[in-house]
Amino acid sequence: MSPDRPQNWSAHLPPGHDGRFDLPAPGTLVGAWADRLADDPDRPLLHADDAWTTRGKFLERTSTVAGRLAAAGLVAGDRVLVSGPSSLDLAAAHVACLRLGLVVVPVNGAYTGGELAHIASDCRPVAALVDHDGWSALLRDLDSELTVTSTTIDLPAGPVPPLDRAAPGDPAVIGYTSGTTGAPKGAVLTQENLLAGAHAVCLAWRWTDADRLLLCLPLFHMHGLGVGLHGTLLAGGSAVLQQGFAPDRVLDGITDHGCSMFFGVPTMYHRLADHDRVADLGGLRLCVAGSAPLSPALHAGFADVGVSVLERYGMTETVMLVSNPFDGERRAGSVGFPLPGVDLYLDPSTAEILVRGPNVFGGYWERPDANAEEFADDPGGGDPWFRTGDLGSVDDDGYVTITGRAKELIITGGLNVFPAEVDEALTAHPAVAEVATAGAPSEEWGEVVVAFVVAADGHACPTVEDLRDFARDRLASHKLPRRVVPVEALPRNALGKVLRHELCEAAPHA
Ligand code: MCA
Ligand code: AMP
C-alpha cells in the first residue's frame, strides 16, 4: 500500500457493488437517519428499561427534546456534555442534540471531578445532560450559567425547531481522547465523518434493517456510540441496550430478543469464553471484537465453539478503519483490510499507520499544535494523512496487523490510559520519590496498569491499595494501578526520558 495508489476495498463490498464509496444523501448522519426512520414508524427500534420503543416514538421523543433544548436557548454549534448509563433517555438526548445541530461531547461517567473539569473548561459547553450524582453541582461550580439537567431533559417544553439541517462539514461530536501525548484532547468529528464511519461498517458487515444488535458497550465511546448506536439507526435495524456488561444478561438478552449481532471489547469476549452457554453466540449472524487486540488464542477458542469472531480496528478520531472481511477469512491476530472509503499506508521508516478518508476527523478542538504534529502532508498534494500512533504491517494478501504502538498508551479492558497522567497523580504521594507507569500483559484485561515506584527517602514503598486510595479522587478507576513494583531507579535514556518500553518488558504478567 502506498500513498499514491487507491485502496482495494473489494474484499468488503457485497457482490454486485460498483466499488464506489458514495455516502447516502444528504451526506449527513442526521439526514440519513431521518430518511431511514421516517419509514414504517411502528417498527421496534430500541429496547431499554424493559420495553421496546418504535422508530416513530423515538423520533417523536427526539423532536420533543430538541424543542426543550431550543427553548432553553441552545443553537446549532453549541457544545453539550452528555453522560449517563445506557438508557432510552440517553440515546434520545444524543440524537436530539445532533438533530438540532448541537455538538455532543460524550463523557465517561466514571470520570472524577478533575477529569470532568478538564473537558468542560476545554470545550466550554452551553449545557450538560448528565445522570451522575454530584455532577450538576460540580458543573455549576465551574460555570454558573450552564444549563444542567439529566438525560430525561427536565426543561420547559418549546416548539419543535427545524431539525436535521446540519451540513456535512458541521461538527457533530467532540470525542475526548488521550491521543499520543498530553492531557485529553477533543477530536472534532463532523456529520460526514460519523456518517462515513457508520456507512462503511453497514456495507462491510452487511448490516440491514433485519439486524438486531445486543449493545452493552457504553454510549460514551466511539465503539458503542459511533458504531453500535449510529450504525443501528443508519441501517434501520434495532438494538437491545444494556447497562454495563454481565455475561448472563448478554446471553439472555440475545436469546430473549432474537438478536443477530454482538459487538464487544476483548475483555468481554474473555469473560464470555468461560460461560457454559458461550456456544449460544454461534447462533448470531455476526460477532465483532475491537478497541484492543483480540488474542489469537481467544479467537481460536471461539472458533472451536462455532463462533467466528470478526476483529476490526478503529479510533475515536476516525470511527472504524480496518476490518476483517464478512465474507472470506477472518484471520486471527490481524485486523483485516481497510474499510470502504479508507486510504491507509505505512510510514516507510517507522511502520506507523497513516490514514485518511471521509471518516477521518479534521483536527482536535482548539489544538493547532497537536494538529500540526499528528497530520502529515501528502507528497502528491492531496488531503493530509492522520498519524494513528499505531504501528502495522501488511502481508501479501493485504491483511493489516497492528504490531505495536508509537504512542505511549496503555489499553486496559478497551479503555485508554495515558501513563503520564497516572504518573503525575501518583508522584504527589508523599512516599513516592519517582514513579512511571506501564502496561503489563493480562489475559483478561489485555493490559493492566503497573506502577514502578522509587520510594522517597525514609519511606517504605507504598502498596497498591495505598496508591489506589490516594489517587481515586483524581483518576477514573480504570486508570488506577493494579500492581506496584518497587524499584531502585527508573530506566532513563541519555536525555533523562523514562524508557517505558523497558519497564513494560520488566512488568510481570498479570
Ligand atoms: C472497569 N474497571 C476497569 C475497567 N473497567 N479497570 C481497568 N480497565 C477497565 N477497562 C474497574 C472498575 O472501575 C472497578 O474498579 C473494577 O475495575 C472492577 O470492575 P468490573 O466490574 O470488573 O468491570 P466492569 O464494570 O465489568 O467493566 C469492564 C468492561 C468495561 C465491561 C470491560 O471496562 C467496558 O465496558 N469496557 C469497554 C470500554 C469501551 O467501550 N471502549 C471503547 C473505546 P474499582 O473496584 O476500583 O471501582 S475505544 C473506541 O471506541 C475505538 C473507536 C475502538 O476501536 O473501538
Ligand atoms: P481510542 O482512542 O479509545 O479510540 O482507542 C483507539 C486505539 O485503540 C487505537 O489507536 C489502537 O491503538 C487501539 N485499537 C482499537 N482496535 C484495535 C484492535 N483491533 N487491535 C489493536 N488495537 C486496537
Side-chain angles (χ1 to χ4, degrees), residues 196-279:
H199 182 56
V201 295
C202 285
L203 260 178
W205 300 343
R206 317 286 189 263
W207 195 342
T208 72
D209 62 1
D211 277 308
R212 179 161 292 172
L213 173 69
L214 192 298
L215 180 52
C216 62
L217 287 154
L219 298 182
F220 44 73
H221 287 300
M222 205 45 85
H223 194 165
L225 189 71
V227 189
L229 182 64
H230 293 180
T232 296
L233 299 176
L234 186 65
S238 55
V240 175
L241 295 183
Q242 292 190 345
Q243 285 185 10
F245 172 72
D248 267 326
R249 255 191 307 134
V250 166
L251 294 167
D252 289 347
I254 286 172
T255 312
D256 295 350
H257 298 293
C259 292
S260 60
M261 305 199 295
F262 173 74
F263 300 166
V265 298
T267 301
M268 293 176 178
Y269 282 96
H270 178 86
R271 293 185 187 174
L272 283 163
D274 293 334
H275 200 283
D276 53 9
R277 285 189 281 142
V278 61

Side-chain angles (χ1 to χ4, degrees), residues 23-49:
L23 294 180
T28 61
L29 191 62
V30 288
W33 284 345
D35 240 23
R36 180 58 91 170
L37 300 180
D39 229 26
D40 206 352
D42 293 332
R43 242 178 119 127
L45 179 67
L46 294 177
H47 185 274
D49 320 315

